[in-house]
Amino acid sequence: MGLLYVLIGIAGLLISGSFLKNFLPTGVVGELFSAGIIPVVYSVIGLKVGAELSGIVDDFISEGAMRHDPVLFYDAGSRWFIRPSFAEESR
């Protein structure tokens, strides 16, 4: 995803003479497609953030699965609580 951001920037550099300079046509202010490359750049950044966040969540989940001894539990009442033996060990 980061490479796509750089490629968009280089395309702006080659076409318009400045990194990330708009090279797409702009429309009338207030219309849906009037912002040029801004929505494209923000979409790429959003995908990058989502990919990184899902990687972090996956690491947390796989770390808990490898231990077979999770510290946090989730019950049916929508509450998180700490395993009692872990709370006693940390004292």
Side-chain angles (χ1 to χ4, degrees), residues 1-5 8 39-55:
M1 293 294 157
L3 180 63
L4 190 57
Y5 179 80
I8 293 170
V40 177
V41 170
Y42 280 129
S43 297
V44 168
I45 291 171
L47 288 172
K48 175 72 173 169
V49 169
E52 294 295 331
L53 186 60
S54 66

Side-chain angles (χ1 to χ4, degrees), residues 1 7 12 19 26 29-31 43 47 49 58-59 71 77 80 84 90:
M1 293 294 157
L7 290 176
F19 188 78
T26 56
V29 175
E31 288 186 358
S43 297
L47 288 172
V49 169
D58 182 53
D59 287 345
V71 173
W80 288 96
S90 62

Side-chain angles (χ1 to χ4, degrees), residues 22-77:
N22 186 27
F23 56 88
L24 294 177
T26 56
V28 177
V29 175
E31 288 186 358
L32 183 59
F33 299 106
S34 64
I37 68 165
I38 293 173
V40 177
V41 170
Y42 280 129
S43 297
V44 168
I45 291 171
L47 288 172
K48 175 72 173 169
V49 169
E52 294 295 331
L53 186 60
S54 66
I56 291 170
V57 169
D58 182 53
D59 287 345
F60 282 140
I61 290 172
S62 64
E63 182 180 321
M66 288 174 27
R67 288 188 311 190
H68 299 292
D69 192 19
V71 173
L72 292 176
F73 291 94
Y74 182 73
D75 68 350

